[in-house]
Amino acid sequence: MQITLESKPFAGVETEALVSYVFEESDPVQGRVAEIDHLGGGLLRRLAKSGELTGKMLEFTLLHAPAGLKAARLLLVGAGKRAPWDSATLRKLAGAALRYLKSRSVRNFAMLVREGQATEESAQVIVEGILTADFESDKYKTDKKNDKRIASVSIAGYSDAERQKGEKGVAKGRVIADSQNFARDLINEPSNKLTPSILAQKAEAMAKAAGLSVEILDEKKIAELKMGALLSVAQGSVEPPRMIVIIYNPPSAKPGAPVIGLIGKAVTFDTGGISIKPSEGMEKMKYDMAGGATMIAVMRTLATLKPVVKVICVVPATENMPGGRAQKPGDIQTAMSGKTIEVLNTDAEGRLILADGVHYAKQLGATHLIDAATLTGAIVVALAGVNVGVFGSDQAFTDKLLSSAKAAGEKMWQMPIDEEYREFIKGTVADIQNISSGKGGGATIGAMFIKEFTGDSPWIHLDIAGTAWNDDTKPWLAKGPTGVGLRTLVHLIMSY
Ligand code: BES
Ligand code: ZN
Ligand code: ZN
């Protein structure tokens, strides 16, 4: 999709649709919308008076052949209350406008920012909104006759003086949204098209193209390094595991500065193993590699955005299958760290592979750890598909992440994790066990298990089991993979 900044005054912009947004207030026809209304002879104000134009969140008002404008259509999207303004709203509005117009076979439109909002951030979130909204899961559809595509979007309302900021925002928004969609493409792939080795190849190709260093550890190397927890999950499958390592190392990184470790769970299919899952809904377990895909996609942005910190990405990739060599409940495994684990449930496999992932990231020099994983059904019970579950061992670090989440428009909610929960995973025959001996608190227990391998490094765990996949289409996002977490992590890394 072509995205440009429009330099003409909005009335003269020739486009299939001019899009702007209205706030929900006693008079929604104000500022730039009042200017449009002035050219149109007061129709908008009449619509507002009659109650047809209210500014309510995501209300769509579509006018054809609007008087006074060169545009073929005028689309006004309700933006809700004017204060407090949040750029996340603009991202959603832009995305919802794109999907609304696309479904009506419109091929291009101009997005007009409201008075006082011609900033770098506005341009960035508009681009993020439209590119992520444009993503469809139609790669394997062979009939593309009725394909509706938006070919180009321009962003209007920037003066010559504001143009440079706008261009910067567009460039930033593009790399972030393209990377989020890159993650979503990976997550969408079914497990027969995306095995651990194929994921590794794709990660390697991306890293090489972006100019990042990359190393793929194969099953032999993984065994040499004694990654027993990862191997225990992989042994039930004929597909060999991979450990994907991508490093961004800027020359500007100062010695002694923090090194961020990003660890992502990539189970390309989770059957549960011998503790097999029910067949209903099992097909969704192709997205059990969303954490890994998201971390790989974060690395993709860094080559362009060039933060000043070093970032090490470690993605353990495997299938979880109930093959003849599969591990069995009760088996005892030795993780890379030397800790012994009693595997009481083979379906709690994410924490096993992350145990080695986290340990390896530390060994490579990461000082601050963040993992992302579709780890537990319990987080879906607690937070549904609305918030990412956040667990942290260091409150200052966790607060930094939560404020990045807010800035990036991703909903995240902190969950408890304290020493009292350690009791639940204390081993009887090994050091620890991979499920709780008590009841409840499943998401915290999963997090607690990973924490065992983080030592005293500040660490954050993101449980994205509920949020990595949209079960229903939203006005601004297609059903399917979301790529959640990417924007927050990019914001956090850029804030160093
Ligand atoms: N991949 C699942 C978690 C999951 C559930 C992801 C729903 C996405 C949607 C994970 O490996 C798993 O099976 N967890 C078990 C842990 C239990 C055995 C302690 C779960 O949550 O049931
Ligand atoms: Zn599982
Ligand atoms: Zn899993």
Side-chain angles (χ1 to χ4, degrees):
M1 188 192 303
Q2 197 195 345
I3 304 175
T4 49
L5 269 195
E6 179 60 67
S7 35
K8 272 194 204 145
F10 66 84
V13 177
E14 286 175 46
T15 172
E16 289 187 35
L18 181 71
V19 180
S20 198
Y21 41 103
V22 268
F23 298 104
E24 185 180 3
E25 46 203 348
S26 54
D27 177 12
V29 183
Q30 292 192 46
R32 212 151 255 170
V33 175
E35 289 173 44
I36 297 173
D37 193 39
H38 188 69
L39 297 169
L43 174 62
L44 296 178
R45 173 135 302 123
R46 287 199 295 281
L47 290 177
K49 285 233 164 83
S50 70
E52 211 177 314
L53 179 69
T54 66
K56 279 207 180 67
M57 192 63 186
L58 292 178
E59 170 194 78
F60 291 101
T61 307
L62 179 68
L63 303 180
H64 287 263
L69 300 180
K70 278 259 167 66
R73 299 173 189 79
L74 171 66
L75 175 65
L76 294 177
V77 189
K81 302 267 187 283
R82 189 189 283 263
W85 177 248
D86 182 350
S87 68
T89 307
L90 183 53
R91 188 187 288 107
K92 266 188 202 172
L93 297 179
L98 178 131
R99 293 187 68 82
Y100 181 92
L101 293 170
K102 184 159 83 166
S103 71
R104 282 158 183 80
S105 301
V106 168
R107 311 237 338 138
N108 64 70
F109 67 91
M111 179 83 198
L112 173 64
V113 294
R114 288 291 299 265
E115 62 281 5
Q117 294 191 345
T119 61
E120 177 183 331
E121 193 186 15
S122 291
Q124 182 188 330
V125 299
I126 287 170
V127 172
E128 289 173 6
I130 60 180
L131 289 176
T132 52
D134 195 38
F135 178 94
E136 307 287 355
S137 305
D138 56 3
K139 179 172 167 191
Y140 292 107
K141 294 253 168 86
T142 54
D143 179 8
K144 299 220 157 79
K145 276 202 300 291
N146 298 320
D147 216 19
K148 292 176 174 168
R149 288 277 151 206
I150 299 275
S152 64
V153 176
S154 63
I155 303 177
Y158 285 72
S159 68
D160 287 341
E162 292 156 340
R163 196 175 173 91
Q164 222 182 358
K165 286 186 292 177
E167 305 272 17
K168 235 176 121 185
V170 170
K172 205 167 159 192
R174 184 176 283 277
V175 64
I176 290 174
D178 283 347
S179 299
Q180 191 172 336
N181 288 344
F182 172 77
R184 294 164 83 196
D185 264 328
L186 291 174
I187 298 165
N188 242 347
E189 290 293 328
S191 69
N192 65 326
K193 307 270 184 198
L194 194 90
T195 60
S197 352
I198 299 175
L199 176 63
Q201 279 165 16
K202 289 186 190 252
E204 188 174 24
M206 179 285 291
K208 287 199 168 141
L212 298 159
S213 16
V214 55
E215 193 188 356
I216 308 296
L217 312 186
D218 63 10
E219 66 275 26
K220 257 182 69 193
K221 196 79 213 273
I222 290 170
E224 258 170 55
L225 289 170
K226 298 196 163 60
M227 297 177 170
L230 170 59
L231 281 173
S232 79
V233 177
Q235 74 188 45
S237 171
V238 295
E239 290 294 338
R242 292 290 181 265
M243 185 67 100
I244 302 164
V245 181
I246 307 173
I247 298 177
Y248 167 77
N249 193 5
S252 50
K254 297 201 174 66
V259 176
I260 315 276
L262 302 178
I263 304 98
K265 170 181 174 182
V267 173
T268 57
F269 197 81
D270 183 10
T271 64
I274 296 299
S275 312
I276 200 158
K277 289 181 180 295
S279 58
E280 197 185 320
M282 201 202 268
E283 71 282 356
K284 266 184 76 183
M285 282 301 117
K286 68 171 187 174
Y287 88 92
D288 212 19
M289 33 61 73
T294 303
M295 293 315 197
I296 293 167
V298 170
M299 299 310 286
R300 185 185 180 279
T301 68
L302 303 186
T304 308
L305 297 178
K306 299 191 172 31
V308 297
V309 277
K310 179 172 177 181
V311 184
I312 300 174
C313 170
V314 173
V315 175
T318 178
E319 284 188 335
N320 186 22
M321 296 287 285
R325 308 197 82 89
Q327 67 177 334
K328 300 166 287 292
D331 285 2
I332 295 176
Q333 310 290 2
T334 305
M336 187 187 193
S337 75
K339 263 199 179 113
T340 56
I341 305 165
E342 188 179 9
V343 178
L344 292 176
N345 188 318
T346 65
D347 196 11
E349 85 296 343
R351 58 200 76 179
L352 294 174
I353 71 172
L354 288 170
D356 286 344
V358 159
H359 185 82
Y360 192 50
K362 276 177 66 117
Q363 200 173 78
L364 292 175
T367 61
H368 288 62
L369 307 169
I370 308 175
D371 77 75
T374 46
L375 203 73
T376 66
I379 202 70
V380 190
V381 174
L383 304 174
V386 178
N387 277 280
V388 170
V390 179
F391 301 82
S393 65
D394 177 295
Q395 198 54 43
F397 187 37
T398 309
D399 284 342
K400 206 167 151 63
L401 175 112
L402 290 170
S403 76
S404 284
K406 222 173 181 44
E410 292 186 316
K411 284 201 197 173
M412 303 210 177
W413 196 262
Q414 188 172 2
M415 302 284 289
I417 178 162
D418 55 71
E419 281 310 300
E420 204 169 332
Y421 292 102
R422 214 193 154 268
E423 275 307 303
F424 293 78
I425 53 166
K426 239 169 129 177
T428 43
V429 292
D431 296 337
I432 49 173
Q433 55 192 43
N434 79 329
I435 59 167
S436 174
S437 37
K439 277 204 167 67
T444 297
I445 303 297
M448 200 70 207
F449 183 93
I450 302 167
K451 185 169 184 280
E452 287 291 308
F453 299 87
T454 60
D456 43 24
S457 310
W459 155 79
I460 295 166
H461 160 62
L462 305 175
D463 195 334
I464 56 171
T467 45
W469 193 270
N470 246 347
D471 283 325
D472 304 298
T473 297
K474 300 208 160 114
W476 59 89
L477 210 69
K479 171 177 165 165
T482 62
V484 73
L486 176 129
R487 291 203 308 265
T488 298
L489 292 171
V490 170
H491 189 279
L492 175 74
I493 291 166
M494 294 308 292
S495 73
Y496 276 86

